Amino acid sequence: MGEIWLALEIGNSRLHWALFIGETLYSAWDTDHIAESVIQQLAKCQTLDHLLLAISPPHQKIREENTSSSPSSSSSPSSPSSPSSPSSPPPLLVASVVPSQTAIWQTYPNIRVITLDQVSLKGVYPTLGIDRALALWGAGKMWGFPMLVIDAGTALTFTAADANQCLVGGAILPGLGLQFATLGQQTEQLPLVEMQNFPSLPPRFALNTTGAIQSGVIYTILAGIKDFIEAWLQLFPNRKIAIKGGDRTLLLNYLQALYPEITVRLIVEPNLIFWGMREIVMGDE
């Protein structure tokens, strides 16, 4: 069956988890950041079920993954609690963009923090985020290089590599939520606009302040995404583009309404970082 191990992506807003059995992604879920006192208790968990309960509160559902997109031919087990429990806390691979959170996880007894030098991507620069490197590596190894990865998270990032698995470069800008929050918090008279209030595209030319903020942020982000995709396809015609991140579904709905010919090209895969982490584990074997 393979060894049971956990993968953890520590993001700016949340923790992103995956449970692997050997090379097979068994389940994935998200949680809020966990208090240091809770992390210290994880080493004392006697079974996998107890550990999973500690890191996934009852109101936060663990979703079992359909692993059909994975190269592995193993079938997915029937439920999140079915893997046999290891006798000690399972290995935990961590990729983090929040150093303060990384530090408090060091109390976990079987931890490995993934660093940039462990990712076999060529031509990287020292401050490239480990999340961007792993997502690009995972996408490229699954669907082939050249590859462009769009991460629609707290920050909206574009990261690309060529056919030689060498970093082409990319870009970073504030994501949807961060742009709305900045306007609401850093100005005297503009309101704080909540993203969930507009599941569909707003009018482009608004007749009120809230609508004007929605229009300005959403349409310029969509135009930017379109521009980067078109520039990528000029460099590497008909090559792959993958998208991940918490805002991916909302942005995909908007893109589908405005630019369906672009949207059809996108590979939607929330677990790109976990595929990258799996490549590192497989390389160790």
Side-chain angles (χ1 to χ4, degrees):
M1 176 180 288
E3 181 183 28
I4 293 173
W5 57 281
L6 290 167
L8 170 61
E9 176 197 353
I10 301 177
N12 290 295
S13 303
R14 309 198 75 193
L15 302 179
H16 309 283
W17 295 88
L19 173 64
F20 279 84
I21 305 174
E23 299 177 9
T24 301
L25 176 59
Y26 177 76
S27 60
W29 67 100
D30 301 328
T31 69
D32 296 330
H33 286 162
I34 296 174
E36 185 174 1
S37 59
V38 175
I39 297 172
Q40 292 172 350
Q41 294 298 315
L42 295 181
K44 302 177 183 179
C45 293
Q46 297 299 310
T47 69
L48 179 62
D49 285 344
H50 289 160
L51 187 144
L52 292 177
L53 183 61
I55 60 178
S56 51
H59 68 282
Q60 292 175 311
K61 182 181 179 183
I62 296 178
R63 69 180 188 274
E64 184 177 350
E65 292 300 312
N66 178 357
T67 57
S68 60
S69 61
S70 167
S72 172
S73 61
S74 301
S75 60
S76 178
S78 58
S79 70
S81 60
S82 61
S84 58
S85 295
S87 57
S88 60
L92 174 66
L93 268 70
V94 174
S96 175
V97 296
V98 188
S100 60
Q101 277 281 309
T102 311
I104 67 175
W105 277 97
Q106 297 293 340
T107 57
Y108 188 87
N110 200 357
I111 188 173
R112 174 182 176 186
V113 178
I114 303 298
T115 53
L116 192 59
D117 62 307
Q118 298 173 44
V119 183
S120 298
L121 195 64
K122 302 171 186 174
V124 300
Y125 53 90
T127 58
L128 177 67
I130 189 64
D131 54 338
R132 296 174 65 197
L134 281 170
L136 180 57
W137 188 245
K141 295 299 285 186
M142 180 167 290
W143 290 286
F145 292 94
M147 172 62 71
L148 169 65
V149 170
I150 303 169
D151 188 348
T154 304
L156 176 62
T157 66
F158 303 84
T159 317
D162 63 19
N164 295 318
Q165 303 177 8
C166 184
L167 182 70
V168 172
I172 305 173
L173 68 152
L176 274 174
L178 192 55
Q179 292 201 34
F180 288 123
T182 300
L183 285 174
Q185 295 168 2
Q186 301 298 320
T187 61
E188 287 290 333
Q189 295 188 334
L190 294 181
L192 180 61
V193 176
E194 300 291 339
M195 285 175 49
Q196 60 266 30
N197 293 341
F198 43 99
S200 58
L201 276 171
R204 188 181 294 268
F205 294 99
L207 292 172
N208 58 72
T209 300
T210 296
I213 293 172
Q214 293 174 354
S215 173
V217 170
I218 290 173
Y219 285 103
T220 54
I221 279 185
L222 295 178
I225 293 173
K226 176 177 180 287
D227 182 71
F228 268 92
I229 289 175
E230 290 177 341
W232 169 252
L233 293 175
Q234 287 180 356
L235 289 173
F236 302 98
N238 300 316
R239 294 304 182 176
K240 303 295 185 181
I241 306 165
I243 186 168
K244 66 179 289 290
D247 292 337
R248 68 187 182 280
T249 301
L250 189 61
L251 287 176
L252 282 166
N253 289 338
Y254 293 160
L255 287 167
Q256 179 62 39
L258 285 180
Y259 313 118
E261 71 284 357
I262 285 179
T263 310
V264 72
R265 292 178 172 272
L266 302 180
I267 300 167
V268 183
E269 175 52 73
N271 297 316
L272 292 179
I273 285 182
F274 297 139
W275 299 136
M277 296 172 80
R278 184 185 64 176
E279 288 296 323
I280 292 176
V281 171
M282 291 168 57
D284 291 341
E285 295 176 353

